[in-house]
């Protein structure tokens, strides 16, 4: 059974992160602090030999991936895949996240946003966005996950057995991945910009090796 190790690096902080906006497919650049943090992640992972490297085709994905790979002793080409994009929020792209989640919490009868978020799986959160998008553009949770899994299948196929792969990701995507692997919601600090989560994949089994 083929086994690979995936280093999931959350994109560095962007201006939409700074403004607390939904950024699924939106192309917002890294802030200076986000760029510096991405360079620091590269230095932290400099001893890891990446056989392959992937990111979404968004600007933040490319910026983060190139900054991380700049610290590598060998030249590994960053591959950009549209299938590795974060969930598409449709008409909610660019909206203030706190206001949207607060509105859902109130509508569903939760006493606080924290209790609402603790009671929702990543799939359920994406389905709420999909079901309430007046533009009918947002992906459902299942649509997102099927798309992203197809991208990961490409990553797996291109990475040699027992190899290491860099995958630049987004916080909500990583939340989905960790939940799929463990059935548990990750702490917010585990999915913050410029954090690293290491997973091993053996066949269809995912294991969080390090967070």
């Amino acid at each position: 059974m083929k086994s690979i190790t995936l280093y999931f690096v959350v994109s560095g902080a962007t201006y939409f992160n700074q403004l607390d906006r939904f950024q699924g497919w939106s192309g917002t650049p890294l802030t200076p602090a986000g760029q510096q943090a991405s360079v620091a992640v590269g230095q932290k992972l400099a001893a890891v030999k990446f056989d392959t490297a992937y990111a979404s085709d968004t600007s933040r994905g490319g910026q983060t991936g190139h900054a991380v790979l700049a610290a590598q002793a060998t030249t590994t080409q960053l591959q950009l895949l549209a299938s590795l994009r974060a969930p598409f929020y449709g008409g909610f792209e660019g909206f203030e996240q706190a206001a949207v989640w607060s509105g859902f919490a109130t509508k569903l009868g939760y006493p606080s946003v924290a209790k609402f978020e603790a009671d929702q799986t990543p799939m359920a959160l994406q389905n709420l966005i999909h079901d309430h998008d007046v533009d009918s553009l947002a992906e459902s949770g299942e649509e997102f996950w099927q798309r992203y899994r197809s991208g990961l299948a490409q990553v797996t196929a291109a990475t040699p057995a027992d190899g290491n792969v860099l995958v630049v990701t987004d916080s909500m995507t990583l939340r989905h991945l960790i939940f799929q692997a463990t059935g548990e919601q990750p702490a917010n600090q585990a999915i913050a910009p410029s954090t690293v989560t290491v997973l091993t994949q053996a066949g269809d089994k995912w294991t969080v090796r390090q967070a």
Side-chain angles (χ1 to χ4, degrees), residues 22 87-93 100-101 104 122-144:
F22 282 99
F88 185 37
Y89 300 116
F92 286 96
E93 293 274 338
V100 171
W101 296 135
F104 282 136
M123 195 78 74
L125 289 173
Q126 186 61 31
N127 284 337
L128 280 171
I129 293 293
H130 169 268
D131 294 345
H132 292 82
D133 178 16
V134 296
D135 296 307
S136 300
L137 294 172
E139 290 178 301
S140 69
E142 186 63 28
E143 287 170 340
F144 158 71

Side-chain angles (χ1 to χ4, degrees), residues 52-167:
T52 56
Y54 291 86
S56 73
D57 59 352
T58 58
S59 56
R60 63 186 181 277
Q63 283 183 282
T64 301
H66 287 302
V68 173
L69 290 175
Q72 291 282 296
T74 57
T75 302
T76 303
Q77 294 297 316
L78 182 68
Q79 305 295 317
L80 303 179
L81 297 178
S83 54
L84 294 182
R85 290 178 185 176
F88 185 37
Y89 300 116
F92 286 96
E93 293 274 338
F95 277 34
E96 184 182 2
Q97 294 193 81
V100 171
W101 296 135
S102 177
F104 282 136
T106 300
K107 182 175 182 178
L108 295 174
Y110 286 89
S112 68
V113 174
K115 288 187 178 297
F116 157 75
E117 291 182 334
D119 200 35
Q120 305 295 319
T121 66
M123 195 78 74
L125 289 173
Q126 186 61 31
N127 284 337
L128 280 171
I129 293 293
H130 169 268
D131 294 345
H132 292 82
D133 178 16
V134 296
D135 296 307
S136 300
L137 294 172
E139 290 178 301
S140 69
E142 186 63 28
E143 287 170 340
F144 158 71
W145 187 240
Q146 290 299 320
R147 168 177 60 78
Y148 196 80
R149 282 302 299 267
S150 72
L152 287 181
Q154 289 182 254
V155 171
T156 301
T159 304
D162 301 318
N164 298 316
V165 54
L166 168 69
V167 183

Side-chain angles (χ1 to χ4, degrees), residues 173-190:
T173 302
L174 185 57
R175 188 182 293 277
H176 275 266
L177 283 162
I178 293 176
F179 188 81
Q180 291 286 337
T182 67
E184 299 177 358
Q185 296 276 23
N188 286 336
Q189 59 266 31

Side-chain angles (χ1 to χ4, degrees), residues 43-59:
Q43 294 170 345
K44 175 182 177 181
L45 298 177
V48 179
K49 178 185 178 298
F50 291 118
D51 298 284
T52 56
Y54 291 86
S56 73
D57 59 352
T58 58
S59 56

